[in-house]
Amino acid sequence: PSRWERRQARIERIVAIGDIHGDYEGYMAILRAAGLVDDRGKWSGGKAHLVQVGDLPDRGPDTLKIIEHIQTLTRQAKRKGGRVHSLIGNHEVMNVIGDLRYVHPGEYEAFVSRKSERLREIYYERYLERIRNEDPNAYAALPDDFRSDWEESHPLGWLEHRQAWDPRWNGDGDLAEWVSGLKVAVRVNDSLFVHGGISAAYCDNSLESLTAKAIEKLAAYDSNDAGILEDAAGPFWYRGLSGMEPRA
């Protein structure tokens, strides 16, 4: 065996969790039950390895809180000789590329600040200006309730959420940057961890190349050429190993 394989074989305890989906209390309860954090939420797992197989965001209100905690936990674990492996799930991908079907209202609320009202107003005015310039007739035909409907689909915090998640927006992109530092799959000892699964279509790829393919597509997302990001046989969506049909 290689030096890498011998080193990996010494890992005595692995805890794997997935699909937290914005549930901070559930997330912390799992970590405490596994003995990985103390009562203050700090790493207490020693040299254990925690593998989080993706899908931290969506469906629940506390995505940002969870991500901030797991970022801190990653640093704490490393100092104690342990490791936290955070993988990319399909919902991390969805947030980066702008598929917001499952975003919980609380996720937007987490980004609200004193500047949010003004930021949304500026964005709305620019949005109207773009419609007016591109299609004056459509602009003239806007219904009276257009603004209220628009604000319903763009709640306070929506803009800051997009600036954090989407590298194409004019923002700090800190969550997009965080995702770009994650892996698609990781091997710990003799176990391979991935959010969905490795299908026959991708089994000839190295783990490093799977991550490289995904990060490249995320950095310059094209809905007409999403490749690995939206492939039903890809590692984010493949369900064949669980006995389920791939998604349509």
Side-chain angles (χ1 to χ4, degrees), residues 176-240:
E177 183 178 357
W178 171 70
V179 172
S180 72
L182 306 183
K183 296 179 179 179
V184 170
V186 65
R187 176 185 172 184
V188 185
N189 291 346
D190 292 328
S191 297
L192 179 65
F193 298 90
V194 63
H195 179 72
I198 308 295
S199 70
Y202 287 86
C203 65
D204 288 337
N205 289 270
S206 68
L207 303 189
E208 292 79 7
S209 70
L210 291 177
T211 296
K213 289 175 184 290
I215 298 306
E216 179 183 8
K217 291 295 185 182
L218 283 172
Y221 175 67
D222 179 353
S223 60
N224 295 315
D225 184 25
I228 191 173
L229 300 181
E230 299 178 353
D231 189 347
F236 303 119
W237 294 99
Y238 183 62
R239 300 177 181 180

Side-chain angles (χ1 to χ4, degrees), residues 83-243:
R83 289 292 185 275
V84 175
H85 307 276
S86 294
L87 303 185
I88 305 172
N90 62 302
H91 281 262
E92 280 81 10
V93 170
M94 292 167 74
N95 274 264
V96 171
I97 68 176
D99 184 342
L100 309 181
R101 286 174 291 165
Y102 301 103
V103 176
H104 188 281
E107 298 183 81
Y108 297 132
E109 292 171 11
F111 285 91
V112 174
S113 72
R114 290 178 297 176
K115 299 179 180 180
S116 293
E117 289 271 10
R118 180 59 181 155
L119 287 172
R120 184 171 69 170
E121 180 67 24
I122 293 171
Y123 181 67
Y124 178 71
E125 292 298 332
R126 290 177 178 175
Y127 182 75
L128 285 183
E129 182 180 0
R130 185 166 65 249
I131 297 175
R132 183 168 54 244
N133 292 336
E134 293 178 358
D135 192 343
N137 291 330
Y139 176 79
L142 290 177
D144 293 338
D145 59 355
F146 176 78
R147 176 154 189 165
S148 60
D149 288 346
W150 185 90
E151 288 187 354
E152 184 176 350
S153 61
H154 297 77
L156 292 178
W158 181 93
L159 180 60
E160 294 93 327
H161 178 278
R162 299 315 307 135
Q163 289 174 330
W165 276 103
D166 193 336
R168 297 167 296 180
W169 280 71
N170 183 24
D172 55 26
D174 55 341
L175 295 185
E177 183 178 357
W178 171 70
V179 172
S180 72
L182 306 183
K183 296 179 179 179
V184 170
V186 65
R187 176 185 172 184
V188 185
N189 291 346
D190 292 328
S191 297
L192 179 65
F193 298 90
V194 63
H195 179 72
I198 308 295
S199 70
Y202 287 86
C203 65
D204 288 337
N205 289 270
S206 68
L207 303 189
E208 292 79 7
S209 70
L210 291 177
T211 296
K213 289 175 184 290
I215 298 306
E216 179 183 8
K217 291 295 185 182
L218 283 172
Y221 175 67
D222 179 353
S223 60
N224 295 315
D225 184 25
I228 191 173
L229 300 181
E230 299 178 353
D231 189 347
F236 303 119
W237 294 99
Y238 183 62
R239 300 177 181 180
L241 298 179
S242 65

